[in-house]
Amino acid sequence: MKLTINGKQIEVEGPKTLLEAARENDISIPSLCDHPRLSPFSGCRLCLVKIKGRKGYMPSCSTYAEEGMEVQTQSPQLKKLRKQIMEFILSEHPNACLICREKENCDEYKSTLRKVGEVTGCVLCPNNGRCELQDVVEELNIKRVSFPSQYRELEVKKRDPFFDQNYNLCILCGRCVRVCHEVRGNSVLTFSYRGTKTVVGTVLDLPHTETGCQFCGACVDVCPTGALTERELKYEGLPQRMEPAICGLCSMGCELQINLREGRLLNSLPSDQGVVNQGQACVKGRFTLKDILYSQERLLRPMIRRNKHLEEVDWDEALDYVAEGLGQYKGEKVALFSSTQLGCEDGYISQKFAQEALKTGNIGTPAVFFPVQSLKRLAQNHGFELDLNFRMDQISEAKTVFLVGTDVPLTHPIIWLELLKALQKGARFIYLSPNEFEINRHADQWIQNKPGTESYVLNFLSRLILQGSSTSQDISEREGFHTFKNSLENFPLEKAPSITGVSEKQLKEAAEILGGKSPKAILFGGAFSQVRWRNQNLSALWNLSLLTQAGLYPLDLDSNSRGMEVIHGRSFDLGQSFNRIVQNLSSGKIKALYQMGPVPLPQKIKTNFRVFQDSFLNAQREQADALLPASTFLEREGIFVNAEGRVQKTSPVLPPMGDSRPDWWILSQLAQRMGVSGFKYKKTSQVRKELGENIPELNSASSSRLKEKEVFLKEEKKGPKKFLPVQLKETPAKPTREYPYLMMVEGSQDYYRNFHLSEKIKGFRMIRDVHWLYISPQDAEKLELKENQPVKVESTKGKMSRKVKISTSVLSGTVKTSFNWDEPSDSLINFDSSLFPAIQVVPVRIKRGE
């Protein structure tokens, strides 16, 4: 369509507001409440324009362009009106510096004045230089404020982690309220009171830690003033350099903007250009990178054990020492544990090092228990086709969504944003979980089952769907359909409540939704595949996806789970399984261990020679003969594969700290000292080229234009899709009289290598503590337990210490907790080397601790 702005004819495509049309054509209109990712608000009124043929002035942020429209954005009347509006806003905002005649002479050193408790001007404000209010004052050329100033005298709140709340600086633009509701789906913030007393805050003025806030930082990022300010930046200057990076803290692969000053990391922001995250982040990527990078636990120098003590040495001495120690053990006497947070180059060299230098098939990684690897093994065993790659927008376009095995806003927050988009478009949503989370309120059906009965619920749903509608020829002719259908006769609906705790009515309603509109999406996480009975879980979910013709999306956990799976997949098939390695370590068959990531191993394990290669010191370091410092993902080049199967390249934003080196470099140097050929790599690109030549799924990874185009893992098709017979070999654990509570124990996902966020970062510990024991209010009252009270949890196989966390998220009669990946497994409640690190569901009793 064509319209005229300030006498200039312009063309716009699609529905656009006048403000958007003007900005696309380099026509400036001031605004403070508008934001490109938020719906129009028309709150600040600074964007008013005159439209020919209409009375008064119209807010351009909420007025859509029309064919033939004539718009005036600049006139003496508009200029005067905008100035008056801006002066009204400034009358309740500290404005001394904004209109000061000497403001251009203020020097950067005056930022030290920010240490004062109250902000009365720009040089005292932590947002100085980052403030949109300053920009608009400059644009409108405001030299004085005609209205009397009024300081609101609101308390500056510092009770929550990561950011301060100074609503004396708030201009009520509503951005924070809207981004929390529209984009993040949390609705933590709202407007309270009315008129001149209106303030932004939480319900009942509760701390953010008590409102379901995920501390994603989106409210801080959209705030145009210093009302919401990242605490770490309070005394820092403006960044001198900004570098892009791919976050390595989960499987989303978000693109971040790393802000640097004087060679140090200031903070990280979500990149607006991020294909995956589209300007959003989570608490880990947004607020923890500085703590991780500059942790006192960083391993910065090689160390070897001399006279029973670890001593710092140079690389040559350390590499010679380790090469000599490892040279004494080959084949079945040595094992290597890798990490799913390594880059693909590091993972490839770790596999090559194990096979060619150590001559061993004992290669382990936690990826074998993650959703993708678990589903892939099921497919390989039954010979059916599997499509693992997907795009985020496939979820947002779904009309029906089924979720099981994860609290997705917590574990995969960017996936949650896509799911939220689908819900905002009217999609139906079913959530299967024994626990209540914030996401439950968004569900059309929350199926609250007894822990461990997920496969039963899925099979009941499949039976109801078959009973309630005619089956298409495409489905009924698939291999295994009739066997599958007949096996569902073992699931009479009247038994559902006693087995699963779910009523017949709710199952019928859920089945009706699943039989409804397409496209459909079924998502599952680690809590669904990391249990002992994962095969029957996955078989039931696979059958349900075929029956409903839904896309099946396994949500992997670590930053390179999928990359490591394709690299090490052949090694897993040829070598020992993760659990068998642990058993052989316990029995003493394995004498030497090379460890590149956190692994929960029994404290009693004794090895003749043990090497830790990591970025951080860990709880098991006293058992190490050598510690080799690896650089972090921010200090190295590499490629990672996210949960979608998207291949992403990241570059170093800082040089390696201390003497730390990339993992591939350390292993290559060791291999050369052990006399093994084929390891003379000088740079990452050489490793990446060889990786692409030897791993078919990653043969596009060596492309020099990887950052400029979309690259996904190449997938092989392995036969037609078919139904699987229902086989329920495992039954869920049940509480007993002596052990009346059912407890779930799972590995924490809040870690990077051997750095555990809740242990090392105080702010993170306030929102998620790995040592919390979640217990229902009813059970806490029954046991006379209080918040944070120490308790002992006992089972038939062991005991553990925890702190009480009273929560409505767990059913009465059940409790849950987690563990760190480097925590000695024999300090956990139910260690079993044939099962670990699968999630444990075990009957327990709870006693008060000391």
Side-chain angles (χ1 to χ4, degrees), residues 58-78:
M58 307 298 294
S60 60
C61 68
S62 58
T63 304
Y64 282 82
E66 297 176 9
E67 181 69 39
M69 185 178 276
E70 295 183 28
V71 181
Q72 190 70 33
T73 70
Q74 297 292 339
S75 69
Q77 294 88 350
L78 278 170

Side-chain angles (χ1 to χ4, degrees), residues 407-421:
D407 177 17
V408 74
L410 190 74
T411 60
H412 300 81
I414 306 305
I415 293 285
W416 159 240
L417 301 187
E418 296 301 317
L419 173 53
L420 181 63
K421 291 176 186 176

Side-chain angles (χ1 to χ4, degrees), residues 670-732:
L670 271 176
Q672 292 178 58
R673 279 169 166 77
M674 295 172 72
V676 183
S677 61
F679 282 86
K680 292 184 177 181
Y681 308 103
K682 293 184 178 180
K683 51 187 178 180
T684 312
S685 58
Q686 293 175 313
V687 181
R688 188 157 54 246
K689 182 180 179 182
E690 185 178 315
L691 164 69
E693 293 169 351
N694 288 280
I695 308 296
E697 296 91 338
L698 285 164
N699 62 11
S700 298
S702 59
S703 169
S704 60
R705 299 182 61 192
L706 188 60
K707 282 192 173 184
E708 301 172 19
K709 61 181 182 178
E710 286 192 327
V711 176
F712 282 77
L713 288 175
K714 288 190 175 181
E715 293 186 309
E716 297 178 9
K717 308 300 182 185
K718 296 190 176 181
K721 297 176 181 177
K722 61 183 180 181
F723 286 92
L724 305 179
V726 176
Q727 296 179 341
L728 298 183
K729 298 179 180 180
E730 300 280 355
T731 56

Side-chain angles (χ1 to χ4, degrees), residues 74 176 180 325 464 536 730 767 770 799:
Q74 297 292 339
C176 58
C180 191
L464 282 166
Q536 65 188 41
E730 300 280 355
I767 60 174
V770 71
K799 59 185 177 180

Side-chain angles (χ1 to χ4, degrees), residues 57-315:
Y57 299 99
M58 307 298 294
S60 60
C61 68
S62 58
T63 304
Y64 282 82
E66 297 176 9
E67 181 69 39
M69 185 178 276
E70 295 183 28
V71 181
Q72 190 70 33
T73 70
Q74 297 292 339
S75 69
Q77 294 88 350
L78 278 170
K79 185 176 181 181
K80 180 180 179 181
L81 182 59
R82 286 176 184 151
K83 276 193 170 186
Q84 287 179 336
I85 292 171
M86 192 67 220
E87 288 175 24
F88 269 122
I89 292 172
L90 292 177
S91 69
E92 287 192 337
H93 185 95
N95 59 57
C97 293
L98 282 168
I99 59 175
C100 178
R101 296 178 182 177
E102 301 296 327
K103 63 181 177 181
E104 294 182 3
N105 298 322
C106 285
D107 298 319
E108 189 175 346
Y109 69 83
K110 289 188 177 179
S111 63
T112 57
L113 295 173
R114 293 175 194 165
K115 296 179 181 179
V116 300
E118 298 291 338
V119 173
T120 57
C122 296
V123 297
L124 307 178
C125 180
N127 235 42
N128 186 25
R130 298 180 263 261
C131 178
E132 293 179 43
L133 200 64
Q134 290 175 321
D135 299 334
V136 175
V137 167
E138 287 293 323
E139 183 177 354
L140 296 179
N141 195 28
I142 293 177
K143 302 298 184 183
R144 60 185 296 270
V145 176
S146 305
F147 307 101
S149 295
Q150 180 179 347
Y151 186 70
R152 305 190 72 184
E153 298 185 6
L154 299 172
E155 176 191 2
V156 180
K157 297 172 183 174
K158 302 178 182 180
R159 58 192 177 181
D160 289 306
F162 305 122
F163 56 86
D164 294 338
Q165 304 144 52
N166 184 356
Y167 290 117
N168 294 296
L169 307 181
C170 178
I171 59 172
L172 300 177
C173 66
R175 285 188 188 178
C176 58
V177 176
R178 287 179 289 148
V179 76
C180 191
H181 175 71
E182 296 174 14
V183 178
R184 306 300 303 205
N186 265 8
S187 301
V188 168
L189 295 172
T190 187
F191 290 108
S192 300
Y193 304 107
R194 293 294 181 267
T196 58
K197 294 185 178 180
T198 303
V199 292
V200 170
T202 60
V203 63
L204 301 177
D205 196 33
L206 292 170
H208 283 236
T209 52
E210 298 178 18
T211 61
C213 176
Q214 297 292 338
F215 292 90
C216 64
C219 56
V220 179
D221 295 337
V222 298
C223 181
T225 68
L228 297 172
T229 308
E230 185 176 352
R231 196 168 293 141
E232 283 292 319
L233 293 181
K234 189 167 185 178
Y235 307 128
E236 301 279 7
L238 295 175
Q240 298 168 329
R241 185 163 60 95
M242 294 171 284
E243 296 288 345
I246 301 298
C247 182
L249 299 184
C250 81
S251 64
M252 292 294 92
C254 294
E255 187 171 330
L256 301 177
Q257 173 187 299
I258 307 298
N259 291 328
L260 305 161
R261 183 177 179 84
E262 297 178 357
R264 283 182 59 84
L265 185 149
L266 289 180
N267 73 330
S268 54
L269 297 172
S271 171
D272 287 330
Q273 284 72 49
V275 176
V276 174
N277 53 313
Q278 300 179 31
Q280 296 299 309
C282 72
V283 60
K284 293 191 281 191
R286 181 64 178 82
F287 292 118
T288 69
L289 294 190
K290 192 172 183 178
D291 289 292
I292 291 172
L293 189 65
Y294 300 121
S295 167
Q296 293 183 351
E297 300 292 315
R298 274 300 297 268
L299 179 59
L300 298 176
R301 302 283 184 273
M303 302 177 77
I304 63 174
R305 190 170 295 281
R306 281 191 185 134
N307 300 321
K308 299 183 179 180
H309 297 286
L310 288 169
E311 298 179 4
E312 289 187 357
V313 295
D314 61 27
W315 269 112

